[in-house]
Amino acid sequence: PHDDTAWSIMTEQARHVDAFVSVSRTYGEKMRKRMAIPPKKIHVVPIGVETRGQEVSALPWDPPVIGFLSRLSPTLGLDVLIDAFLLLKKAPRLARTRLHLTGGLTGDDGAFLRGAKRKLDRAGILADVDFAPDAFAGDLRAFLRRLTVLSVPVPGGEAVGTYQIEAMAAGVPVVQPDAGAFPEIVKSTGGGVIYSPNDADHLAKALTRLLTQPALTAKLGRRGQ
């Protein structure tokens, strides 16, 4: 009931606001409908990131590296990515692929991570996964330069997902679900691919497409950058 009350109050107060700034057309439209905001009051200003001094990733292939840059939680889609990684590793040509994870965590994420590590260990591939929760607060650019692709398969998507822009600034293409503003960002930049539905099988297929076609991956990386 508090959720409905909060939305009702925001909708009422929105009538007194002259202009709203949205980080994407997708999010602006979602809020416009939810809060009955006149279209002329919505102004889209896309998010940007600092690019000075940014080195472009060489997109490693020996072995290829998949990156995840967000809170290490199933609410951000890490469970989907881990299951997709398990599927990928069954293909001989992708058996050496690595997974690098960073972005911080909270106390609620500990149990999930312990379970994920047990699952990876049973499959014999735990050593191929780099868990570095604190790297997000450290040298983020160095983390991005070590990636071949980035995927943060958030259920329901996000208003933007700044990690997409950060990856593209480093020349790293993204593999994202058809949700939220992900399609909008990928379409406007050409810096990645969109898959649907958002499950491990379809994510694994989308990742396989890029990880087995270096020329395509490099092309998408250049577009995004």
Side-chain angles (χ1 to χ4, degrees), residues 63-70 72 78 81-82 85 89 96-105 113 117 120 125-136 139 142-144 146-147:
V65 179
I66 303 167
F68 178 93
L69 176 58
S70 197
L72 304 185
L78 183 53
L81 180 58
I82 287 176
F85 185 66
K89 296 288 281 186
R96 297 181 62 246
T97 304
R98 295 188 60 83
L99 179 61
H100 288 189
L101 313 173
T102 193
L105 49 84
L113 285 179
K117 289 180 178 180
L120 292 162
I125 60 173
L126 180 58
D128 294 326
V129 182
D130 179 15
F131 292 87
D134 298 329
F136 184 81
D139 194 344
F143 173 81
L144 292 169
R146 294 193 292 268
L147 305 182

Side-chain angles (χ1 to χ4, degrees), residues 142-165:
F143 173 81
L144 292 169
R145 288 197 303 271
R146 294 193 292 268
L147 305 182
T148 311
V149 298
L150 179 117
S151 181
V152 185
V154 182
E158 295 203 67
V160 167
T162 310
Y163 40 77
Q164 295 187 109
I165 311 302

Side-chain angles (χ1 to χ4, degrees), residues 7-24:
W7 278 108
S8 178
I9 293 172
M10 290 197 297
T11 300
E12 172 64 23
Q13 294 302 314
R15 295 188 303 141
H16 307 294
V17 176
D18 295 313
F20 289 90
V21 175
S22 175
V23 295
S24 64

Side-chain angles (χ1 to χ4, degrees), residues 21-169:
V21 175
S22 175
V23 295
S24 64
R25 291 190 302 275
T26 303
Y27 187 67
E29 182 63 13
K30 178 179 181 180
M31 291 298 102
R32 185 189 72 77
K33 292 179 178 178
R34 189 73 187 262
M35 296 167 60
I37 301 170
K40 65 180 181 180
K41 286 190 176 184
I42 301 289
H43 304 272
V44 178
V45 180
I47 280 180
V49 297
E50 178 58 70
T51 59
R52 286 177 296 183
Q54 175 69 64
E55 296 180 21
V56 177
S57 171
L59 301 182
W61 294 99
D62 188 24
V65 179
I66 303 167
F68 178 93
L69 176 58
S70 197
R71 189 178 131 212
L72 304 185
S73 165
T75 61
L76 279 300
L78 183 53
D79 55 337
V80 176
L81 180 58
I82 287 176
D83 287 344
F85 185 66
L86 287 163
L87 293 173
L88 278 176
K89 296 288 281 186
K90 294 178 181 179
R93 59 182 173 174
L94 295 174
R96 297 181 62 246
T97 304
R98 295 188 60 83
L99 179 61
H100 288 189
L101 313 173
T102 193
L105 49 84
T106 68
D108 294 335
D109 302 323
F112 162 72
L113 285 179
R114 288 190 293 273
K117 289 180 178 180
R118 287 194 297 269
K119 181 186 292 187
L120 292 162
D121 192 34
R122 287 195 299 268
I125 60 173
L126 180 58
D128 294 326
V129 182
D130 179 15
F131 292 87
D134 298 329
F136 184 81
D139 194 344
L140 175 59
R141 291 184 171 186
F143 173 81
L144 292 169
R145 288 197 303 271
R146 294 193 292 268
L147 305 182
T148 311
V149 298
L150 179 117
S151 181
V152 185
V154 182
E158 295 203 67
V160 167
T162 310
Y163 40 77
Q164 295 187 109
I165 311 302
E166 290 169 326
M168 291 179 194

